[in-house]
Amino acid sequence: MNALGINLPGLLTQLISFTILVVVLYKFLYGPITSMLDQRAERIKDSLEAADRARQDAASSAEAVEQEMANARQEGQRLIAEAQEAARRAAEQIEERSRQQAEEMIARAESEIGQQRDAAIEELRREFSGMAVMAAERVVERELDASKHQELIDAVLEEGLSSSRN
Amino acid sequence: MGKLFSNPKLLTAAIVVVAVLLISVAGGALGAAFGAGFLGGPIPLIQLPAEYITEIGSYQLMNTFVMFWLAILVLFFLTFLATRNIKEVPGRWQGLFEAFFEAFIKLAESAAGGRRGRMFLPVVTAIFLGVLFSNWLGTLPGVNNIGRIESVEEFFELKLKKEFNKEGHGDLAKKLKKEGFVHFFEEHGTNPDVEHALEVFFSEHGEDGFVIFSGESGVGFINLGRGEQWKVRLNQVVEAPHDLHDQEELEKFIHQVEQPKILPGVEPDEDQDWTAEDVAEGRVGLLVPFFRGASTDLNTTLAIAIFAMASVQFWGFRTLGFAGYAGKFIFNPIKDPIGAFVGLLELIGEFIKVISFTFRLFGNMFAGEILLIAMGFLLPLIGIIPFLGLELFVGVIQAAIFSVLTLIFGSLAIIAHEHGDHDEEHGAEAH
């Protein structure tokens, strides 16, 4: 043992030194570092779970948004369709009304024209009858037969009117 | 080649490398054989036991203790760096140690199966770090070649003390230590025990080399380089007294040790720069290094091995209970003679493990240290460089082996003993 250099004081010295090393490393290096490692592992696990939850939340809210958007799109389409319908109806109404107005105006114009024509005819008739009477008077001056002549006059007038109308 | 000659930087570097190589070959042991060897120095006395730096009372402070404490202090400092400001987001040192512990946690959990492997880790990681740093600090410059110069008298006294201890004359050894060499011999010179011890001493240690190198007494250092030309046998420096009862003869011997000289007929080589006067005037002596790699001392490796195996036993008892763990080794020899024999072998094996731990680490590191010294002598300046790298590697490997084996032994110790096959045997016998 002596030749190998093993002796009790030396062995005890190294044993005590090494024990101190083990204790100090355990207390101040191994303990803090491993507890920090565990703490970090725990935290990573927690944050992964939180991230998972957040992802799920995000997925479900995205779905809701999608739904909402689909609804909105449908609503919009419905509104557009309605508006188109209303516009079509309004156009139809307007068309109808304007057609009626036009027809009214035409009718009124026609009746007016009719009246004016009738009035003109009446006036002409009156004038022509006067003229005829005058003409007749002239004829009568030569041969007076009132009733026979009246027929004649009417016939003349009729002829005259139809020719004037054309 | 053309590229080498066209690039002045490369060329210069190549010339410098070749020059250093040539100088180191010429200056080393090879050159010394042809009369060169100008980077010379004596080879240090290589011995298994650690050298003591100083004595405090009867306690010898060894150079390996100093290195072990240095390694421990370095580890404490690194601990301080790693954990003084421990944070979730680690700093550099914290990150380094986290990676280290993470690796060991994985290893321990795979070896012991699950989280209970962690109970080994405080000891296993401390073994790794302690062994690693004591190995690595052993490769620092200054280790093994800066030290105290031990005079012939001191050398003599130390060896004699060992001789008295070995012969079982503890009291005489203590007296020798207390009174000092000269007084001891004046008082006890005619003691038959002393005479016998001295005879044994000269027959066993007379041929031991007392390495002589020039240097003032006090702190000295060895230049790496030449081999053993300066080593002189102890009985050529100091002649043993023929008759201790003869007072005159004894006084002559004491005077020789106090004022050692090279005995007539042992003339120093002409190219040596020391003379017999240097020896006589105490300017030369043996270098006792202040620092020596802690794992090159069997006390250190034995202490760590004992700690490791004691921890293994502790883990075994704690996990399996007293009866459970002791039951792995002790069987009823009447019921189960084979089991009893195997258990005995296993019990012896536990002690053998201590020895194998001790000598594996010691052998590797001591051999490495000698390899470095030898390369320093063969090829000074550069020969040591690749071997320094090798030693760093061996240091890690040995630390890993020591710690992982402790881990493995620990995880074997906590496995409950399988009684199954024995029961089956008994069952078969009964049927």
Side-chain angles (χ1 to χ4, degrees):
Chain A
M1 288 307 234
N2 228 345
L4 292 175
I6 298 174
N7 49 46
L8 195 62
L11 187 60
L12 283 181
T13 306
Q14 300 301 65
L15 207 51
I16 291 165
S17 307
F18 189 69
T19 309
I20 291 170
L21 177 71
V22 172
V23 170
V24 170
L25 286 189
Y26 175 58
K27 272 240 144 80
F28 296 104
L29 187 67
Y30 176 78
I33 295 267
T34 46
S35 70
M36 177 52 72
L37 282 175
D38 288 347
Q39 189 184 322
R40 188 177 306 130
E42 195 64 28
R43 213 174 121 157
I44 287 171
K45 214 179 91 195
D46 283 356
S47 32
L48 279 181
E49 276 170 6
D52 239 21
R53 265 201 305 280
R55 199 158 39 234
Q56 278 173 2
D57 285 359
S60 61
S61 65
E63 213 165 281
V65 165
E66 195 99 325
Q67 187 68 36
E68 201 82 339
M69 270 171 71
N71 286 349
R73 208 157 28 230
Q74 275 181 357
E75 181 74 17
Q77 274 167 353
R78 196 177 57 77
L79 282 176
I80 289 168
E82 266 176 20
Q84 277 173 342
E85 180 68 14
R88 200 174 51 75
R89 263 204 305 265
E92 269 174 15
Q93 269 177 0
I94 290 165
E95 206 181 298
E96 183 72 17
R97 206 178 315 142
S98 56
R99 200 170 53 233
Q100 279 175 358
Q101 274 177 351
E103 275 169 8
E104 262 170 40
M105 275 164 71
I106 290 167
R108 207 178 319 138
E110 272 179 355
S111 73
E112 244 165 57
I113 289 166
Q115 279 170 359
Q116 277 176 1
R117 193 191 62 193
D118 286 356
I121 288 171
E122 199 60 32
E123 203 173 326
L124 273 175
R125 187 178 293 209
R126 245 190 333 267
E127 271 179 28
F128 271 107
S129 65
M131 278 162 62
V133 169
M134 265 191 313
E137 276 172 0
R138 298 267 173 91
V139 171
V140 164
E141 276 172 14
R142 285 174 306 154
E143 187 185 352
L144 193 58
D145 189 351
S147 62
K148 223 176 174 180
H149 289 162
Q150 189 62 43
E151 273 174 51
L152 191 70
I153 291 160
D154 280 345
V156 169
L157 282 175
E158 221 36 63
E159 246 170 83
L161 274 177
S162 60
S163 66
S164 78
R165 196 178 288 169
N166 295 328
Chain B
M1 255 346 230
K3 209 175 173 188
L4 180 70
F5 286 116
S6 62
N7 188 336
K9 268 189 197 165
L10 268 179
L11 189 62
T12 316
I15 289 171
V16 168
V17 167
V18 170
V20 169
L21 188 69
L22 287 179
I23 288 171
S24 60
V25 169
L30 197 64
F34 299 100
F38 41 83
L39 289 168
I43 200 161
L45 195 65
I46 292 166
Q47 57 172 28
L48 285 185
E51 297 88 355
Y52 78 93
I53 300 171
T54 181
E55 270 181 318
I56 305 158
S58 65
Y59 178 77
Q60 290 184 334
L61 182 70
M62 301 292 184
N63 47 14
T64 51
F65 300 173
V66 173
M67 284 301 278
F68 198 46
W69 294 334
L70 214 61
I72 289 173
L73 281 183
V74 169
L75 276 172
F76 285 178
F77 181 64
L78 292 184
T79 300
F80 169 71
L81 284 184
T83 57
R84 78 186 144 161
N85 189 13
I86 195 157
K87 284 177 301 194
E88 280 269 309
V89 181
R92 286 182 192 142
W93 289 105
Q94 191 189 335
L96 177 70
F97 278 102
E98 278 181 5
F100 167 74
F101 282 117
E102 192 90 66
F104 261 96
I105 286 171
K106 246 184 219 158
L107 193 66
E109 286 184 352
S110 71
R115 244 187 113 80
R116 66 178 180 167
R118 285 203 181 191
M119 74 174 161
F120 308 132
L121 286 179
V123 172
V124 168
T125 53
I127 286 174
F128 183 88
L129 291 174
V131 172
L132 180 72
F133 276 86
S134 45
N135 290 351
W136 275 1
L137 290 191
T139 62
L140 285 179
V143 173
N144 273 331
N145 64 347
I146 295 180
R148 186 171 59 85
I149 290 169
E150 195 173 79
S151 67
V152 176
E153 189 183 354
E154 246 183 300
F155 180 77
F156 219 91
E157 200 175 315
L158 190 71
K159 290 238 166 188
L160 262 182
K161 257 187 271 180
K162 279 186 183 160
E163 203 53 53
F164 279 118
N165 268 326
K166 202 163 78 182
E167 290 293 304
H169 308 303
D171 290 345
L172 280 175
K174 266 180 210 150
K175 276 181 189 158
L176 174 59
K177 189 180 266 180
K178 211 169 86 189
E179 295 164 8
F181 180 78
V182 176
H183 286 108
F184 177 81
F185 271 91
E186 278 170 358
E187 301 253 327
H188 306 278
T190 51
N191 187 324
D193 285 341
V194 175
E195 195 179 348
H196 175 63
L198 213 58
E199 258 171 40
V200 174
F201 172 73
F202 268 102
S203 68
E204 287 192 2
H205 293 290
E207 301 283 312
D208 279 7
F210 180 74
V211 180
I212 293 180
F213 63 100
S214 55
E216 296 302 313
S217 59
V219 175
F221 67 95
I222 292 177
N223 317 312
L224 289 180
R226 197 152 33 167
E228 296 189 12
Q229 299 95 314
W230 294 3
K231 204 161 158 184
V232 180
R233 287 183 194 135
L234 193 61
N235 56 11
Q236 290 174 332
V237 183
V238 182
E239 198 177 22
H242 301 295
D243 185 8
L244 280 168
H245 298 286
D246 186 345
Q247 197 63 31
E248 202 181 313
E249 188 105 357
L250 184 67
E251 265 168 28
K252 208 175 104 196
F253 168 64
I254 292 168
H255 179 73
Q256 266 186 29
V257 176
E258 276 184 299
Q259 297 287 320
K261 62 171 203 258
I262 304 297
L263 296 176
V266 187
E267 285 304 316
D269 293 345
E270 277 171 17
D271 60 344
Q272 284 174 178
D273 52 0
W274 57 273
T275 59
E277 283 74 49
D278 284 331
V279 182
E281 285 160 27
R283 279 205 298 274
V284 295
L286 187 68
L287 185 100
V288 180
F290 288 137
F291 308 106
R292 173 170 160 178
S295 27
T296 64
D297 182 2
L298 277 168
N299 287 317
T300 317
T301 57
L302 183 62
I304 301 175
I306 286 173
F307 194 96
M309 286 317 289
S311 308
V312 168
Q313 311 313 318
F314 170 73
W315 293 325
F317 280 120
R318 199 177 67 171
T319 311
L320 302 177
F322 182 79
Y325 188 65
K328 287 178 123 179
F329 302 107
I330 299 164
F331 296 91
N332 189 337
I334 296 157
K335 267 188 176 170
D336 187 3
I338 297 170
F341 183 65
V342 171
L344 189 68
L345 284 187
E346 292 212 6
L347 190 62
I348 294 169
E350 293 298 301
F351 291 96
I352 300 289
K353 280 173 192 167
V354 175
I355 313 255
S356 76
F357 263 143
T358 308
F359 282 93
R360 184 184 302 112
L361 180 58
F362 170 78
N364 274 284
M365 297 328 290
F366 190 69
E369 200 154 83
I370 291 170
L371 177 66
L372 289 186
I373 291 170
M375 285 321 292
F377 282 93
L378 284 175
L379 272 183
L381 305 183
I382 56 167
I384 201 170
I385 295 168
F387 294 96
L388 276 176
L390 180 75
E391 280 314 297
L392 291 180
F393 177 68
V394 170
V396 185
I397 293 295
Q398 287 306 316
I401 288 174
F402 209 122
S403 52
V404 172
L405 274 182
T406 309
L407 179 64
I408 301 293
F409 292 153
S411 46
L412 287 179
I414 62 167
I415 295 169
H417 183 70
E418 291 290 330
H419 285 286
D421 33 346
H422 295 296
D423 289 348
E424 268 172 31
E425 273 176 33
H426 293 307
E429 276 166 22
H431 283 297

mmCIF file of all heavy atoms in Angstrom, chain B residues 101-131:
data_model
loop_
_atom_site.group_PDB
_atom_site.id
_atom_site.type_symbol
_atom_site.label_atom_id
_atom_site.label_comp_id
_atom_site.label_asym_id
_atom_site.label_seq_id
_atom_site.Cartn_x
_atom_site.Cartn_y
_atom_site.Cartn_z
ATOM 1 N N PHE B 101 -26.769 18.168 -18.087
ATOM 2 C CA PHE B 101 -27.657 17.413 -17.196
ATOM 3 C C PHE B 101 -28.767 16.733 -17.977
ATOM 4 O O PHE B 101 -29.184 15.625 -17.651
ATOM 5 C CB PHE B 101 -28.236 18.328 -16.125
ATOM 6 C CG PHE B 101 -27.262 18.628 -15.024
ATOM 7 C CD1 PHE B 101 -26.831 19.919 -14.801
ATOM 8 C CD2 PHE B 101 -26.764 17.615 -14.231
ATOM 9 C CE1 PHE B 101 -25.924 20.188 -13.804
ATOM 10 C CE2 PHE B 101 -25.856 17.879 -13.229
ATOM 11 C CZ PHE B 101 -25.438 19.164 -13.009
ATOM 12 N N GLU B 102 -29.219 17.406 -19.024
ATOM 13 C CA GLU B 102 -30.261 16.837 -19.880
ATOM 14 C C GLU B 102 -29.781 15.499 -20.440
ATOM 15 O O GLU B 102 -30.501 14.495 -20.402
ATOM 16 C CB GLU B 102 -30.539 17.818 -21.030
ATOM 17 C CG GLU B 102 -31.779 17.513 -21.819
ATOM 18 C CD GLU B 102 -32.993 18.200 -21.235
ATOM 19 O OE1 GLU B 102 -33.022 19.439 -21.275
ATOM 20 O OE2 GLU B 102 -33.878 17.499 -20.751
ATOM 21 N N ALA B 103 -28.521 15.491 -20.941
ATOM 22 C CA ALA B 103 -27.962 14.258 -21.515
ATOM 23 C C ALA B 103 -27.906 13.164 -20.461
ATOM 24 O O ALA B 103 -28.285 12.016 -20.714
ATOM 25 C CB ALA B 103 -26.576 14.536 -22.080
ATOM 26 N N PHE B 104 -27.457 13.547 -19.243
ATOM 27 C CA PHE B 104 -27.340 12.530 -18.195
ATOM 28 C C PHE B 104 -28.708 12.063 -17.723
ATOM 29 O O PHE B 104 -28.886 10.894 -17.381
ATOM 30 C CB PHE B 104 -26.510 13.062 -17.022
ATOM 31 C CG PHE B 104 -25.091 12.596 -17.087
ATOM 32 C CD1 PHE B 104 -24.115 13.399 -17.655
ATOM 33 C CD2 PHE B 104 -24.739 11.351 -16.619
ATOM 34 C CE1 PHE B 104 -22.820 12.964 -17.743
ATOM 35 C CE2 PHE B 104 -23.438 10.909 -16.693
ATOM 36 C CZ PHE B 104 -22.478 11.718 -17.261
ATOM 37 N N ILE B 105 -29.688 12.979 -17.699
ATOM 38 C CA ILE B 105 -31.042 12.577 -17.287
ATOM 39 C C ILE B 105 -31.572 11.545 -18.271
ATOM 40 O O ILE B 105 -32.117 10.505 -17.889
ATOM 41 C CB ILE B 105 -31.963 13.814 -17.219
ATOM 42 C CG1 ILE B 105 -31.634 14.650 -15.976
ATOM 43 C CG2 ILE B 105 -33.421 13.383 -17.162
ATOM 44 C CD1 ILE B 105 -32.322 15.979 -15.933
ATOM 45 N N LYS B 106 -31.361 11.803 -19.554
ATOM 46 C CA LYS B 106 -31.829 10.862 -20.589
ATOM 47 C C LYS B 106 -31.161 9.504 -20.384
ATOM 48 O O LYS B 106 -31.818 8.461 -20.417
ATOM 49 C CB LYS B 106 -31.466 11.415 -21.969
ATOM 50 C CG LYS B 106 -32.697 11.775 -22.784
ATOM 51 C CD LYS B 106 -32.302 12.224 -24.162
ATOM 52 C CE LYS B 106 -33.163 13.378 -24.602
ATOM 53 N NZ LYS B 106 -32.544 14.157 -25.649
ATOM 54 N N LEU B 107 -29.830 9.554 -20.180
ATOM 55 C CA LEU B 107 -29.063 8.315 -20.008
ATOM 56 C C LEU B 107 -29.571 7.545 -18.794
ATOM 57 O O LEU B 107 -29.833 6.338 -18.865
ATOM 58 C CB LEU B 107 -27.591 8.685 -19.825
ATOM 59 C CG LEU B 107 -26.590 7.554 -19.927
ATOM 60 C CD1 LEU B 107 -26.580 7.025 -21.336
ATOM 61 C CD2 LEU B 107 -25.213 8.071 -19.559
ATOM 62 N N ALA B 108 -29.749 8.274 -17.680
ATOM 63 C CA ALA B 108 -30.155 7.620 -16.431
ATOM 64 C C ALA B 108 -31.555 7.050 -16.576
ATOM 65 O O ALA B 108 -31.836 5.942 -16.104
ATOM 66 C CB ALA B 108 -30.100 8.617 -15.284
ATOM 67 N N GLU B 109 -32.432 7.782 -17.238
ATOM 68 C CA GLU B 109 -33.811 7.296 -17.351
ATOM 69 C C GLU B 109 -33.878 6.086 -18.269
ATOM 70 O O GLU B 109 -34.704 5.202 -18.070
ATOM 71 C CB GLU B 109 -34.725 8.426 -17.823
ATOM 72 C CG GLU B 109 -34.959 9.422 -16.688
ATOM 73 C CD GLU B 109 -35.911 10.528 -17.024
ATOM 74 O OE1 GLU B 109 -36.298 10.625 -18.204
ATOM 75 O OE2 GLU B 109 -36.270 11.295 -16.114
ATOM 76 N N SER B 110 -33.001 6.042 -19.281
ATOM 77 C CA SER B 110 -33.015 4.861 -20.144
ATOM 78 C C SER B 110 -32.352 3.675 -19.444
ATOM 79 O O SER B 110 -32.722 2.531 -19.664
ATOM 80 C CB SER B 110 -32.323 5.156 -21.473
ATOM 81 O OG SER B 110 -30.947 5.278 -21.283
ATOM 82 N N ALA B 111 -31.365 3.953 -18.572
ATOM 83 C CA ALA B 111 -30.670 2.850 -17.893
ATOM 84 C C ALA B 111 -31.532 2.267 -16.782
ATOM 85 O O ALA B 111 -31.574 1.052 -16.609
ATOM 86 C CB ALA B 111 -29.341 3.336 -17.329
ATOM 87 N N ALA B 112 -32.190 3.137 -16.012
ATOM 88 C CA ALA B 112 -32.919 2.647 -14.844
ATOM 89 C C ALA B 112 -34.409 2.528 -15.123
ATOM 90 O O ALA B 112 -35.147 2.057 -14.277
ATOM 91 C CB ALA B 112 -32.686 3.583 -13.668
ATOM 92 N N GLY B 113 -34.832 2.925 -16.300
ATOM 93 C CA GLY B 113 -36.235 2.795 -16.626
ATOM 94 C C GLY B 113 -37.074 3.818 -15.891
ATOM 95 O O GLY B 113 -37.567 3.560 -14.805
ATOM 96 N N GLY B 114 -37.181 4.993 -16.492
ATOM 97 C CA GLY B 114 -38.093 5.982 -15.950
ATOM 98 C C GLY B 114 -37.450 6.920 -14.950
ATOM 99 O O GLY B 114 -36.241 6.970 -14.810
ATOM 100 N N ARG B 115 -38.317 7.612 -14.219
ATOM 101 C CA ARG B 115 -37.882 8.748 -13.430
ATOM 102 C C ARG B 115 -37.023 8.375 -12.240
ATOM 103 O O ARG B 115 -36.282 9.211 -11.719
ATOM 104 C CB ARG B 115 -39.113 9.504 -12.927
ATOM 105 C CG ARG B 115 -39.211 10.918 -13.472
ATOM 106 C CD ARG B 115 -40.344 11.642 -12.811
ATOM 107 N NE ARG B 115 -39.866 12.725 -11.959
ATOM 108 C CZ ARG B 115 -39.496 13.905 -12.386
ATOM 109 N NH1 ARG B 115 -39.525 14.184 -13.647
ATOM 110 N NH2 ARG B 115 -39.097 14.833 -11.551
ATOM 111 N N ARG B 116 -37.115 7.124 -11.778
ATOM 112 C CA ARG B 116 -36.323 6.779 -10.595
ATOM 113 C C ARG B 116 -34.830 6.765 -10.905
ATOM 114 O O ARG B 116 -34.011 6.786 -9.993
ATOM 115 C CB ARG B 116 -36.757 5.442 -10.026
ATOM 116 C CG ARG B 116 -36.458 4.282 -10.947
ATOM 117 C CD ARG B 116 -36.867 2.998 -10.297
ATOM 118 N NE ARG B 116 -36.560 1.895 -11.195
ATOM 119 C CZ ARG B 116 -36.560 0.629 -10.840
ATOM 120 N NH1 ARG B 116 -36.875 0.313 -9.623
ATOM 121 N NH2 ARG B 116 -36.281 -0.308 -11.702
ATOM 122 N N GLY B 117 -34.477 6.747 -12.212
ATOM 123 C CA GLY B 117 -33.072 6.852 -12.587
ATOM 124 C C GLY B 117 -32.445 8.145 -12.119
ATOM 125 O O GLY B 117 -31.232 8.245 -12.003
ATOM 126 N N ARG B 118 -33.300 9.119 -11.804
ATOM 127 C CA ARG B 118 -32.759 10.418 -11.404
ATOM 128 C C ARG B 118 -32.057 10.392 -10.067
ATOM 129 O O ARG B 118 -31.277 11.285 -9.773
ATOM 130 C CB ARG B 118 -33.885 11.435 -11.338
ATOM 131 C CG ARG B 118 -34.340 11.874 -12.692
ATOM 132 C CD ARG B 118 -34.986 13.199 -12.564
ATOM 133 N NE ARG B 118 -35.470 13.660 -13.841
ATOM 134 C CZ ARG B 118 -35.896 14.885 -14.042
ATOM 135 N NH1 ARG B 118 -35.895 15.728 -13.045
ATOM 136 N NH2 ARG B 118 -36.309 15.250 -15.218
ATOM 137 N N MET B 119 -32.338 9.396 -9.245
ATOM 138 C CA MET B 119 -31.717 9.418 -7.922
ATOM 139 C C MET B 119 -30.207 9.189 -8.013
ATOM 140 O O MET B 119 -29.477 9.542 -7.112
ATOM 141 C CB MET B 119 -32.368 8.376 -7.017
ATOM 142 C CG MET B 119 -32.002 6.950 -7.322
ATOM 143 S SD MET B 119 -32.704 5.899 -6.048
ATOM 144 C CE MET B 119 -32.693 4.332 -6.842
ATOM 145 N N PHE B 120 -29.744 8.609 -9.143
ATOM 146 C CA PHE B 120 -28.309 8.386 -9.292
ATOM 147 C C PHE B 120 -27.572 9.677 -9.664
ATOM 148 O O PHE B 120 -26.374 9.775 -9.493
ATOM 149 C CB PHE B 120 -28.019 7.371 -10.395
ATOM 150 C CG PHE B 120 -28.767 6.079 -10.258
ATOM 151 C CD1 PHE B 120 -29.437 5.539 -11.329
ATOM 152 C CD2 PHE B 120 -28.782 5.422 -9.052
ATOM 153 C CE1 PHE B 120 -30.115 4.344 -11.199
ATOM 154 C CE2 PHE B 120 -29.455 4.228 -8.909
ATOM 155 C CZ PHE B 120 -30.131 3.690 -9.990
ATOM 156 N N LEU B 121 -28.321 10.606 -10.234
ATOM 157 C CA LEU B 121 -27.644 11.683 -10.946
ATOM 158 C C LEU B 121 -26.778 12.610 -10.117
ATOM 159 O O LEU B 121 -25.702 12.976 -10.578
ATOM 160 C CB LEU B 121 -28.667 12.486 -11.740
ATOM 161 C CG LEU B 121 -29.145 11.719 -12.964
ATOM 162 C CD1 LEU B 121 -30.174 12.506 -13.715
ATOM 163 C CD2 LEU B 121 -27.986 11.407 -13.874
ATOM 164 N N PRO B 122 -27.180 13.017 -8.909
ATOM 165 C CA PRO B 122 -26.289 13.911 -8.166
ATOM 166 C C PRO B 122 -24.884 13.331 -8.031
ATOM 167 O O PRO B 122 -23.901 14.031 -8.241
ATOM 168 C CB PRO B 122 -26.973 14.039 -6.809
ATOM 169 C CG PRO B 122 -28.394 13.792 -7.089
ATOM 170 C CD PRO B 122 -28.449 12.790 -8.214
ATOM 171 N N VAL B 123 -24.800 12.047 -7.714
ATOM 172 C CA VAL B 123 -23.477 11.430 -7.550
ATOM 173 C C VAL B 123 -22.809 11.212 -8.911
ATOM 174 O O VAL B 123 -21.634 11.539 -9.104
ATOM 175 C CB VAL B 123 -23.610 10.101 -6.778
ATOM 176 C CG1 VAL B 123 -22.301 9.364 -6.784
ATOM 177 C CG2 VAL B 123 -24.075 10.367 -5.367
ATOM 178 N N VAL B 124 -23.589 10.695 -9.866
ATOM 179 C CA VAL B 124 -22.998 10.338 -11.161
ATOM 180 C C VAL B 124 -22.455 11.580 -11.875
ATOM 181 O O VAL B 124 -21.328 11.567 -12.388
ATOM 182 C CB VAL B 124 -24.049 9.614 -12.025
ATOM 183 C CG1 VAL B 124 -23.576 9.508 -13.453
ATOM 184 C CG2 VAL B 124 -24.315 8.238 -11.473
ATOM 185 N N THR B 125 -23.227 12.662 -11.862
ATOM 186 C CA THR B 125 -22.747 13.864 -12.559
ATOM 187 C C THR B 125 -21.569 14.479 -11.814
ATOM 188 O O THR B 125 -20.646 14.990 -12.437
ATOM 189 C CB THR B 125 -23.860 14.896 -12.705
ATOM 190 O OG1 THR B 125 -24.425 15.144 -11.433
ATOM 191 C CG2 THR B 125 -24.925 14.406 -13.661
ATOM 192 N N ALA B 126 -21.596 14.400 -10.477
ATOM 193 C CA ALA B 126 -20.458 14.939 -9.723
ATOM 194 C C ALA B 126 -19.201 14.137 -10.019
ATOM 195 O O ALA B 126 -18.114 14.696 -10.129
ATOM 196 C CB ALA B 126 -20.760 14.931 -8.228
ATOM 197 N N ILE B 127 -19.360 12.813 -10.160
ATOM 198 C CA ILE B 127 -18.206 11.988 -10.511
ATOM 199 C C ILE B 127 -17.679 12.406 -11.873
ATOM 200 O O ILE B 127 -16.478 12.613 -12.060
ATOM 201 C CB ILE B 127 -18.587 10.491 -10.517
ATOM 202 C CG1 ILE B 127 -18.750 9.992 -9.087
ATOM 203 C CG2 ILE B 127 -17.528 9.665 -11.236
ATOM 204 C CD1 ILE B 127 -19.255 8.581 -8.996
ATOM 205 N N PHE B 128 -18.604 12.572 -12.831
ATOM 206 C CA PHE B 128 -18.157 12.954 -14.174
ATOM 207 C C PHE B 128 -17.388 14.259 -14.128
ATOM 208 O O PHE B 128 -16.266 14.348 -14.635
ATOM 209 C CB PHE B 128 -19.359 13.082 -15.120
ATOM 210 C CG PHE B 128 -18.965 13.390 -16.530
ATOM 211 C CD1 PHE B 128 -18.674 12.369 -17.416
ATOM 212 C CD2 PHE B 128 -18.862 14.696 -16.970
ATOM 213 C CE1 PHE B 128 -18.289 12.639 -18.704
ATOM 214 C CE2 PHE B 128 -18.477 14.982 -18.264
ATOM 215 C CZ PHE B 128 -18.193 13.952 -19.133
ATOM 216 N N LEU B 129 -17.994 15.272 -13.499
ATOM 217 C CA LEU B 129 -17.348 16.581 -13.500
ATOM 218 C C LEU B 129 -16.040 16.564 -12.715
ATOM 219 O O LEU B 129 -15.027 17.106 -13.170
ATOM 220 C CB LEU B 129 -18.304 17.621 -12.914
ATOM 221 C CG LEU B 129 -19.518 17.923 -13.780
ATOM 222 C CD1 LEU B 129 -20.470 18.845 -13.047
ATOM 223 C CD2 LEU B 129 -19.094 18.561 -15.092
ATOM 224 N N GLY B 130 -16.064 15.913 -11.554
ATOM 225 C CA GLY B 130 -14.866 15.870 -10.726
ATOM 226 C C GLY B 130 -13.719 15.167 -11.435
ATOM 227 O O GLY B 130 -12.594 15.671 -11.484
ATOM 228 N N VAL B 131 -14.016 14.008 -12.011
ATOM 229 C CA VAL B 131 -12.965 13.253 -12.705
ATOM 230 C C VAL B 131 -12.498 14.016 -13.938
ATOM 231 O O VAL B 131 -11.296 14.142 -14.194
ATOM 232 C CB VAL B 131 -13.489 11.844 -13.090
ATOM 233 C CG1 VAL B 131 -12.485 11.139 -13.973
ATOM 234 C CG2 VAL B 131 -13.751 11.031 -11.847
#
